[in-house]
Amino acid sequence: MARAEIAARTLRTDRWWLPPLTTFVGLLLISIYAAFRTFQGDFYWVDQYHYLTPMYSPCLTEECVPAAAHFGQWFPALPGFLTPPVIIIPFLLGFRITCYYYRKAYYRAAWASPPACAVAEPHSKYTGETKFPLIAQNLHRYFFYAASVLLLINIYDAILAFGTGVGLGNIILLVNVGLLAAYTLSCHSCRHIAGGRLKHFSKHPVRYWMWTQISKLNNRHMLLAWTSLIFVCLTDLYVALVASGTISDLRFIN
Amino acid sequence: MSYQGKFRVWRGDDSGGALEDFTVEVNEGEVVLDIIHRLQATQAPDLAVRWNCKAGKCGSCSAEINGRPRLLCMTRMSVFEESETITVTPMRTFPIIRDLVTDVSFNYTKAREVPSFAPPKDLAPGEYRMQQVDVERSQEFRKCIECFLCQNTCHVVRDHEENKEAFSGPRFLMRVAELEMHPLDTADRVDQAQDDHGLGYCNITKCCSEVCPEHIHITDNALIPMKERVADRKYDPIVWLGNKLFKR
Ligand code: SF4
Ligand code: SF4
Ligand code: FES
Ligand code: FES
């Protein structure tokens, strides 16, 4: 028996192409900005107020301004156009790329698989996440562990910056780690590890409670994914502007 | 309060068909199914449509309205402009029987492929005791009315007929999750989900959750937790080590 003969790719009459287009443009702009800042290799540290942009934290190579290398310079200077963040970016990027929300976002927006619900995808074959390379999405868990460590370092940086007083930059760094923490905690892997994997919640009241709280955050995972991503860029931009002397930090105390 | 609405309804069977234009009376408070019934009563007595409860509970009247998979009986006419032409087509993913009626037996086959509830051997029916917090997750999935809109919308089978063999679809992966999370089920469902029901085909793009008339969080609460269990089993040595060390 055959399917109903309907030639149109979709009969949807709403602007179904708008959300994937917006997502695509948003992700593209952010990627361009992040790539530019990564390879700029400068203006990541404000010596006067101890602001370190999250994009360069931890700064681990010999190129790093010594004061910005909170954990020491573990690696020799990198050759050519490489800059300190290339050591941590694979983890940060890996975390976002394998994130269940971003997967949905770019599968739809960049790969049109599907572009929107009930709109036919242009590919003739589809194997989903069953084969290499996409089967590697199952590694999200590791990136979650790695990103959690980087988050703790960002929190440490944000607290350290209070050593010189309080300025607008401190507030921005603090909000940034708050959003990053909310995003990381709301992760599906985190929800699973905290309690989701249990069969009997009644035997593990504490983990059940954690799972309940994380589930609430998890409901907002998409929102947190976007706000934390945009805010990291804004934080970085603020640090870059202050570090380059383009603007001066607004100081509240000292 | 009533107006003449413009409709395009797919008519035909497995040998072919086309969209047919109709102008029908629409009254205040009506749903799309009312209009289809009026068509049957006035202009197209042989128009085939499957329905039963007209209350969004039997899951019979699934179709596509302006290209969006929906229940005919739960789509209010008031969401459309009076000037709009409303297109009603059968579900695309299943073989057509006639007009708006499709053959959904793919779903019954997939349902039979999920091994049934396996309680502990030493418990007789009637002796089952469970705590509410332990059954809550499975209960969400029991809200399903088996309308198969999720199955119809999922691009894995909608756009790739050849995947029907390997992929059970969101409805039945959710059934696997329901049993996996059930406090008294003893069967091992994790490998099954990946190997027998094609969980890996799902790319979590959430169209099933988007169209579910019961608003079940299919992707977030069933599919992703199953993917995480598969990751536990197949891809996470830290969990493996933790299990060895702390024997929970
Ligand atoms: S989330 Fe998975 S199961 Fe649901 S529609 Fe998308 S691909 Fe299909
Ligand atoms: S899960 Fe939702 S969409 Fe799928 S069959 Fe059940 S009620 Fe319908
Ligand atoms: S699911 Fe998005 S960060 Fe883990
Ligand atoms: S007729 Fe029962 S759900 Fe629509």
Side-chain angles (χ1 to χ4, degrees):
Chain A
M1 280 213 303
R3 297 182 181 201
E5 204 178 78
I6 302 169
R9 178 187 183 201
T10 184
L11 291 169
R12 279 181 69 164
T13 50
D14 57 334
R15 284 183 293 171
W16 56 263
W17 43 269
L18 191 60
L21 184 67
T22 319
T23 307
F24 185 80
V25 172
L27 290 177
L28 188 69
L29 290 179
I30 286 173
S31 309
I32 293 171
Y33 177 80
F36 166 71
R37 281 291 289 148
T38 300
F39 293 108
Q40 189 180 29
D42 205 355
F43 308 130
Y44 53 86
W45 168 250
V46 180
D47 202 39
Q48 197 181 357
Y49 306 125
H50 292 185
Y51 296 156
L52 175 63
T53 165
M55 284 193 190
Y56 279 68
S57 168
C59 207
L60 295 174
T61 72
E62 274 173 15
E63 285 109 331
C64 297
V65 179
H70 296 160
F71 297 89
Q73 298 169 330
W74 300 359
F75 302 101
L78 297 166
F81 61 93
L82 296 180
T83 50
V86 299
I87 301 206
I88 53 161
I89 280 207
F91 300 103
L92 288 179
L93 209 60
F95 183 47
R96 299 257 171 180
I97 285 181
T98 59
C99 161
Y100 287 96
Y101 165 68
Y102 285 105
R103 270 144 80 181
K104 173 194 165 196
Y106 63 78
Y107 284 147
R108 282 195 187 200
W111 191 240
S113 178
C117 301
V119 179
E121 57 183 352
H123 314 287
S124 62
K125 264 190 75 74
Y126 173 89
T127 52
E129 300 182 338
T130 57
K131 291 199 163 69
F132 184 81
L134 291 182
I135 197 164
Q137 303 280 27
N138 283 303
L139 300 179
H140 183 56
R141 181 88 47 96
Y142 296 104
F143 288 112
F144 165 72
Y145 295 141
S148 306
V149 173
L150 292 174
L151 170 68
L152 292 178
I153 294 175
N154 287 165
I155 295 175
Y156 174 80
D157 295 337
I159 295 172
L160 213 62
F162 280 100
T164 62
V166 182
L168 181 57
N170 291 96
I171 309 295
I172 292 178
L173 287 177
L174 207 60
V175 173
N176 178 57
V177 293
L179 285 170
L180 284 178
Y183 169 65
T184 310
L185 274 175
S186 69
C187 165
H188 286 275
S189 292
C190 176
R191 182 183 185 218
H192 174 75
I193 296 162
R197 56 196 305 273
L198 299 171
K199 201 165 178 106
H200 296 97
F201 281 153
S202 55
K203 293 191 186 140
H204 305 266
V206 178
R207 289 180 69 185
Y208 174 57
W209 180 85
M210 291 197 299
W211 178 83
T212 323
Q213 303 307 313
I214 291 174
S215 297
K216 285 182 200 158
L217 272 181
N218 180 262
N219 263 326
R220 309 241 175 294
H221 193 54
M222 165 177 155
L223 183 72
L224 290 167
W226 278 105
T227 44
S228 66
L229 185 66
I230 293 170
F231 206 83
V232 166
C233 294
L234 293 178
T235 308
D236 175 75
L237 182 65
Y238 187 82
V239 173
L241 290 176
V242 176
S244 61
T246 315
I247 58 171
S248 54
D249 188 33
L250 180 66
R251 301 302 286 176
F252 305 125
I253 299 174
N254 153 29
Chain B
M1 280 295 124
S2 75
Y3 66 96
Q4 295 294 311
K6 292 195 285 295
F7 284 79
R8 283 195 307 168
V9 183
W10 194 88
R11 308 236 23 214
D13 54 29
D14 67 348
S15 62
L19 290 169
E20 232 175 83
D21 287 295
F22 295 97
T23 304
V24 209
E25 180 185 319
V26 177
N27 301 309
E28 198 175 350
E30 286 184 333
V31 294
V32 175
L33 185 60
D34 289 314
I35 312 303
I36 298 295
H37 283 159
R38 183 162 301 121
L39 269 178
Q40 279 184 328
T42 56
Q43 307 173 39
D46 60 342
L47 173 65
V49 60
R50 187 189 280 133
W51 71 285
N52 216 298
C53 67
K54 204 174 170 267
K57 282 292 164 241
C58 73
S60 309
C61 65
S62 306
E64 304 190 4
I65 303 169
N66 282 349
R68 309 187 75 150
R70 316 205 40 153
L71 294 178
L72 292 172
C73 72
M74 296 303 282
T75 306
R76 291 186 170 279
M77 284 305 299
S78 58
V79 302
F80 304 106
E81 303 287 333
E82 292 192 3
S83 57
E84 208 172 332
T85 301
I86 296 159
T87 308
V88 186
T89 46
M91 289 194 281
R92 285 215 198 195
T93 305
F94 311 122
I96 188 75
I97 296 178
R98 199 157 70 85
D99 301 340
L100 299 177
V101 180
T102 54
D103 174 1
V104 293
S105 41
F106 162 74
N107 301 290
Y108 305 137
T109 310
K110 292 299 175 185
R112 278 193 296 271
E113 285 169 10
V114 181
S116 54
F117 174 57
K121 292 253 174 322
D122 52 345
L123 275 191
E127 288 176 355
Y128 299 169
R129 296 292 176 272
M130 292 165 264
Q131 303 223 16
Q132 180 56 32
V133 290
D134 292 339
V135 282
E136 229 150 42
R137 283 180 296 181
S138 298
Q139 278 172 339
E140 181 191 6
F141 310 145
R142 301 292 297 188
K143 290 194 301 186
C144 173
I145 60 171
E146 308 243 278
C147 64
F148 305 132
L149 283 172
C150 55
Q151 302 281 93
N152 168 54
T153 314
C154 178
H155 69 120
V156 177
V157 285
R158 184 183 177 95
D159 298 340
H160 305 278
E161 179 76 26
E162 71 280 6
N163 286 340
K164 278 189 178 170
E165 179 89 26
F167 185 63
S168 294
R171 167 64 189 101
F172 299 103
L173 286 165
M174 178 175 92
R175 169 72 177 151
V176 175
E178 176 196 328
L179 292 165
E180 168 62 29
M181 294 173 191
H182 193 291
L184 287 182
D185 187 72
T186 56
D188 179 2
R189 313 266 172 190
V190 176
D191 291 334
Q192 271 175 26
Q194 188 81 338
D195 302 336
D196 305 341
H197 302 289
L199 179 62
Y201 282 84
C202 165
N203 68 352
I204 51 163
T205 35
K206 285 199 169 176
C207 289
C208 49
S209 310
E210 237 172 73
V211 299
C212 178
E214 285 292 311
H215 307 292
I216 303 173
H217 292 77
I218 307 171
T219 319
D220 286 347
N221 289 348
L223 304 176
I224 293 176
M226 283 314 287
K227 280 192 177 246
E228 284 294 312
R229 282 166 169 74
V230 171
D232 274 355
R233 177 74 52 90
K234 303 199 183 212
Y235 313 100
D236 193 340
I238 296 184
V239 168
W240 176 85
L241 195 72
N243 286 347
K244 285 274 162 209
L245 294 179
F246 305 109
K247 287 246 183 339
R248 292 159 329 106

